[in-house]
Amino acid sequence: MTAPIETTGAAAEAQPEAVLEGVESKKIEGRSLGQIAWLRFRRDKVAVAGAIVVILLIVIAALSRPIQSWLGLDPNSPNQDLIDPNTTLPKGDFGGMSLDHPLGVDPKFGRDLLARVLEGSWVSLIVAFGATLLSVAIGTVLGVVAGFYRGRVDALISRLMDVFLAFPLLLFAIAISASLQGGAFGLEGLPLHISVLIFVIGFFNWPYMGRIVRAQTLSLREREFVDAARGMGARGPFILFRELLPNLVGPIIVYSTLLIPSNILFEAALSFLGVGIQPPQASWGGMLNQAVKFYEVDPQYMLVPGLAIFVTVLAFNLLGDGLRDALDPRSSR
């Protein structure tokens, strides 16, 4: 047998101090749920790219008028000298693209397509964000009330959701938009058209948000923190707004991000059908409507607004998918 290794008293006393010193030099810091979600989102390069594009689109839409002034563009200014009088098509190749008109001009009038795309961007985003905010507000309130109180309240709100989901939304939106084109509620022109679109799209889309919030609330109301709040004497409204709603922020943000692109498409569809934004105000759907007559001889006119809608919807969808993965605690990212 080998003799045990003996350590001197000084070495024995110094060893615990060295160990403690090493532990103190590498402190372990906890991470909040927000920090964990941000780390997950940052690893998703596709979602980050979508977020960058979304931010750029919002900035461009917000500054569309200053950008047009800086570039010397006017979305409604005709340029008849750029139009062939025999064919009413833009002179030159690719829809009249030039240094003065990078995306070309539209047939018949010669209006700058870059200016009209910029002008249509803020209209589409205002309608989409406004309709999403209205849907989220109504759906969140009714969904959390239905999921928390259950019973007759849940049955009544659930049947109301079924009624709204049974509406032929597109036909109903066309009827309402067409009947309010002249003027209503003290509004007329562009403010009226934007307000009608926000109301029609947002008010009839809230059941989708309501169902998601209701399902999440049914799961959360059985959790321990809700039982603890009840045990401390908290009443229904306090539990709803102080305990349940903060835990629903993640699903609400994710679904809102995915709802925005569908609202952009809805607004473009209504404008394409002639019951949304009315000319001469530029809108992406309205530009596609006018391009139908020329797509065989001037495909550039349809390509520009089509790509604007495609890039915007794709960026929001990528951002929504990334947020869903980042905020999902079961995600492996």
Side-chain angles (χ1 to χ4, degrees), residues 253-274:
I253 291 177
V254 171
Y255 189 73
S256 299
T257 310
L258 297 174
L259 190 60
I260 290 173
S262 67
N263 289 341
I264 292 175
L265 291 175
F266 207 140
E267 181 275 327
L270 291 177
S271 298
F272 178 82
L273 295 173

Side-chain angles (χ1 to χ4, degrees), residues 202-314:
F203 185 72
F204 290 96
N205 271 334
W206 70 264
Y208 299 100
M209 175 63 74
R211 283 191 164 184
I212 291 176
V213 173
R214 173 184 174 274
Q216 294 290 328
T217 304
L218 287 173
S219 174
L220 289 174
R221 73 184 303 275
E222 306 299 333
R223 301 286 291 273
E224 292 80 2
F225 66 90
V226 176
D227 292 335
R230 287 198 189 99
M232 297 176 65
R235 297 185 177 181
F238 179 88
I239 297 175
L240 282 176
F241 293 101
R242 297 296 299 274
E243 300 292 342
L244 293 179
L245 276 180
N247 289 279
L248 293 170
V249 171
I252 291 173
I253 291 177
V254 171
Y255 189 73
S256 299
T257 310
L258 297 174
L259 190 60
I260 290 173
S262 67
N263 289 341
I264 292 175
L265 291 175
F266 207 140
E267 181 275 327
L270 291 177
S271 298
F272 178 82
L273 295 173
V275 293
I277 304 299
Q278 299 296 306
Q281 172 61 43
S283 68
W284 293 344
M287 293 174 66
L288 287 176
N289 180 305
Q290 298 166 5
V292 170
K293 306 173 185 177
F294 302 96
Y295 76 94
E296 291 184 348
V297 292
D298 186 13
Q300 177 81 2
Y301 189 24
M302 178 172 284
L303 186 64
V304 171
L307 280 177
I309 296 174
F310 173 78
V311 171
T312 303
V313 172
L314 178 62

Side-chain angles (χ1 to χ4, degrees), residues 73-300:
L73 301 175
D74 185 350
N76 297 320
S77 177
N79 298 284
Q80 293 296 334
D81 58 313
L82 301 177
I83 300 298
D84 187 338
N86 298 320
T87 61
T88 69
L89 296 177
K91 298 177 181 179
D93 299 328
F94 303 106
M97 292 178 60
S98 64
L99 292 177
D100 294 331
H101 306 282
L103 299 182
V105 296
D106 65 351
K108 192 174 180 180
F109 299 106
R111 295 172 296 190
D112 186 85
L113 289 185
L114 175 60
R116 293 187 67 78
V117 168
L118 290 173
E119 184 71 9
S121 63
W122 70 264
V123 174
S124 292
L125 290 185
I126 281 181
V127 172
F129 277 99
T132 301
L133 183 61
L134 181 59
S135 296
V136 169
I138 299 175
T140 299
V141 172
L142 293 182
V144 74
V145 169
F148 180 74
Y149 288 105
R150 297 196 299 185
R152 294 182 179 179
V153 175
D154 185 18
L156 177 62
I157 295 178
S158 297
R159 297 298 76 77
L160 185 63
M161 292 180 186
D162 295 336
V163 170
F164 272 83
L165 291 173
F167 269 102
L169 181 55
L170 182 59
L171 296 178
F172 203 71
I174 292 174
I176 293 179
S177 300
S179 63
L180 297 177
Q181 290 298 325
F185 312 111
L187 300 174
E188 60 181 9
L190 183 59
L192 174 64
H193 299 152
I194 291 178
S195 300
V196 170
L197 288 175
I198 289 176
F199 172 76
V200 170
I201 298 174
F203 185 72
F204 290 96
N205 271 334
W206 70 264
Y208 299 100
M209 175 63 74
R211 283 191 164 184
I212 291 176
V213 173
R214 173 184 174 274
Q216 294 290 328
T217 304
L218 287 173
S219 174
L220 289 174
R221 73 184 303 275
E222 306 299 333
R223 301 286 291 273
E224 292 80 2
F225 66 90
V226 176
D227 292 335
R230 287 198 189 99
M232 297 176 65
R235 297 185 177 181
F238 179 88
I239 297 175
L240 282 176
F241 293 101
R242 297 296 299 274
E243 300 292 342
L244 293 179
L245 276 180
N247 289 279
L248 293 170
V249 171
I252 291 173
I253 291 177
V254 171
Y255 189 73
S256 299
T257 310
L258 297 174
L259 190 60
I260 290 173
S262 67
N263 289 341
I264 292 175
L265 291 175
F266 207 140
E267 181 275 327
L270 291 177
S271 298
F272 178 82
L273 295 173
V275 293
I277 304 299
Q278 299 296 306
Q281 172 61 43
S283 68
W284 293 344
M287 293 174 66
L288 287 176
N289 180 305
Q290 298 166 5
V292 170
K293 306 173 185 177
F294 302 96
Y295 76 94
E296 291 184 348
V297 292
D298 186 13
Q300 177 81 2

